[in-house]
Short mmCIF file of all heavy atoms in Angstrom, two decimals:
data_model
loop_
_atom_site.label_atom_id
_atom_site.label_comp_id
_atom_site.label_asym_id
_atom_site.label_seq_id
_atom_site.Cartn_x
_atom_site.Cartn_y
_atom_site.Cartn_z
N ASP B 385 136.47 -75.62 -161.04
CA ASP B 385 136.75 -74.40 -160.37
C ASP B 385 138.24 -74.26 -160.11
O ASP B 385 138.99 -75.23 -160.02
CB ASP B 385 135.87 -74.27 -159.18
CG ASP B 385 135.62 -72.81 -158.81
OD1 ASP B 385 136.27 -72.01 -159.45
OD2 ASP B 385 134.79 -72.48 -157.91
N PHE B 386 138.67 -72.99 -159.77
CA PHE B 386 140.06 -72.78 -159.44
C PHE B 386 140.49 -73.67 -158.18
O PHE B 386 141.40 -74.47 -158.28
CB PHE B 386 140.26 -71.34 -158.95
CG PHE B 386 140.12 -70.32 -160.11
CD1 PHE B 386 139.22 -69.43 -159.93
CD2 PHE B 386 140.88 -70.41 -161.28
CE1 PHE B 386 138.89 -68.40 -160.94
CE2 PHE B 386 140.72 -69.45 -162.26
CZ PHE B 386 139.71 -68.46 -162.15
N ASP B 387 139.84 -73.39 -157.09
CA ASP B 387 140.25 -74.08 -155.82
C ASP B 387 139.87 -75.60 -155.83
O ASP B 387 140.58 -76.40 -155.41
CB ASP B 387 139.70 -73.40 -154.61
CG ASP B 387 138.13 -73.21 -154.80
OD1 ASP B 387 137.66 -73.51 -155.81
OD2 ASP B 387 137.53 -72.79 -153.76
N GLY B 388 138.69 -75.94 -156.40
CA GLY B 388 138.28 -77.28 -156.44
C GLY B 388 139.32 -78.13 -157.20
O GLY B 388 139.66 -79.21 -156.56
N SER B 389 139.73 -77.71 -158.23
CA SER B 389 140.66 -78.52 -159.10
C SER B 389 142.05 -78.62 -158.40
O SER B 389 142.68 -79.60 -158.39
CB SER B 389 140.96 -77.75 -160.46
OG SER B 389 141.54 -76.56 -160.31
N LEU B 390 142.44 -77.57 -157.72
CA LEU B 390 143.71 -77.57 -157.03
C LEU B 390 143.70 -78.55 -155.83
O LEU B 390 144.63 -79.30 -155.59
CB LEU B 390 144.09 -76.18 -156.55
CG LEU B 390 144.61 -75.11 -157.56
CD1 LEU B 390 144.60 -73.84 -156.92
CD2 LEU B 390 145.92 -75.63 -158.07
N ILE B 391 142.58 -78.65 -155.19
CA ILE B 391 142.47 -79.51 -153.98
C ILE B 391 141.98 -80.97 -154.40
O ILE B 391 142.59 -81.88 -154.01
CB ILE B 391 141.52 -78.88 -152.99
CG1 ILE B 391 141.93 -77.56 -152.57
CG2 ILE B 391 141.30 -79.85 -151.76
CD1 ILE B 391 140.84 -76.74 -151.84
N LYS B 392 141.06 -80.98 -155.21
CA LYS B 392 140.43 -82.29 -155.50
C LYS B 392 140.80 -82.84 -156.85
O LYS B 392 140.44 -84.00 -157.21
CB LYS B 392 138.92 -82.12 -155.34
CG LYS B 392 138.43 -81.82 -153.91
CD LYS B 392 136.93 -81.61 -153.89
CE LYS B 392 136.49 -81.04 -152.66
NZ LYS B 392 135.14 -80.64 -152.71
N GLY B 393 141.34 -82.02 -157.69
CA GLY B 393 141.62 -82.44 -158.98
C GLY B 393 140.50 -82.46 -159.95
O GLY B 393 140.39 -83.29 -160.86
N GLY B 394 139.58 -81.54 -159.75
CA GLY B 394 138.45 -81.35 -160.64
C GLY B 394 137.19 -81.82 -160.08
O GLY B 394 137.08 -82.94 -159.49
N ASN B 395 136.16 -80.96 -160.11
CA ASN B 395 134.81 -81.42 -159.67
C ASN B 395 133.79 -80.68 -160.41
O ASN B 395 133.97 -79.78 -161.23
CB ASN B 395 134.72 -81.12 -158.13
CG ASN B 395 134.70 -79.61 -157.87
OD1 ASN B 395 135.13 -78.79 -158.69
ND2 ASN B 395 134.20 -79.29 -156.74
N LEU B 396 132.56 -81.01 -160.19
CA LEU B 396 131.43 -80.51 -160.79
C LEU B 396 131.02 -79.21 -160.07
O LEU B 396 130.92 -79.31 -158.78
CB LEU B 396 130.24 -81.46 -160.97
CG LEU B 396 130.16 -82.47 -161.95
CD1 LEU B 396 129.02 -83.37 -161.87
CD2 LEU B 396 130.23 -81.80 -163.37
#
Side-chain angles (χ1 to χ4, degrees):
Chain B
D385 207 350
F386 295 121
D387 52 350
S389 64
L390 285 169
I391 300 163
K392 298 174 188 168
N395 69 339
L396 280 177

